[in-house]
Amino acid sequence: MPIFEIEQYEICVTTYRVEASSEAEAIAKLFDGGADAVDNSHEHIEVAEDCGLPADEHQELAAELRILGVPVDEIIPSIRSVEQIE
């Protein structure tokens, strides 16, 4: 039986620490890569169902998913990629 790797969009949160003179400067430094992640602060929140593969670009996959009962409208919810590896 084949084996697949699937990338799924997820919403996560990570806490960062940065020295700055204001909240705006702290955010700007974070965006520029100048903040340090707090150890063990990465937390999964939920699956990002609003992101996904465009169904019109993956019509065959979308049709198969619908047959299997997976709701697919404009996107295949939360899936970034799927690839058969073996």
Side-chain angles (χ1 to χ4, degrees):
M1 184 167 289
I3 297 175
F4 296 86
E5 283 188 351
I6 303 169
E7 290 183 324
Q8 184 177 46
Y9 291 109
E10 299 176 334
I11 299 172
C12 302
V13 64
T14 302
T15 302
Y16 293 88
R17 287 200 183 117
V18 60
E19 188 174 319
S21 60
S22 69
E23 291 175 343
E25 183 182 358
I27 292 170
K29 285 185 174 185
L30 171 76
F31 288 163
D32 284 339
D36 297 316
V38 174
D39 289 342
N40 300 317
S41 70
H42 190 81
E43 179 183 346
H44 177 268
I45 302 298
E46 63 186 30
V47 172
E49 303 253 340
D50 293 337
C51 302
L53 290 173
D56 61 343
E57 293 177 24
H58 303 271
Q59 293 178 9
E60 187 175 317
L61 177 57
E64 288 180 45
L65 287 166
R66 288 181 186 111
I67 290 168
L68 293 171
V70 176
V72 175
D73 289 321
E74 295 171 13
I75 62 169
I76 299 169
S78 80
I79 301 303
R80 182 172 186 236
S81 68
V82 58
E83 177 184 3
Q84 183 174 336
I85 59 167
E86 289 182 25

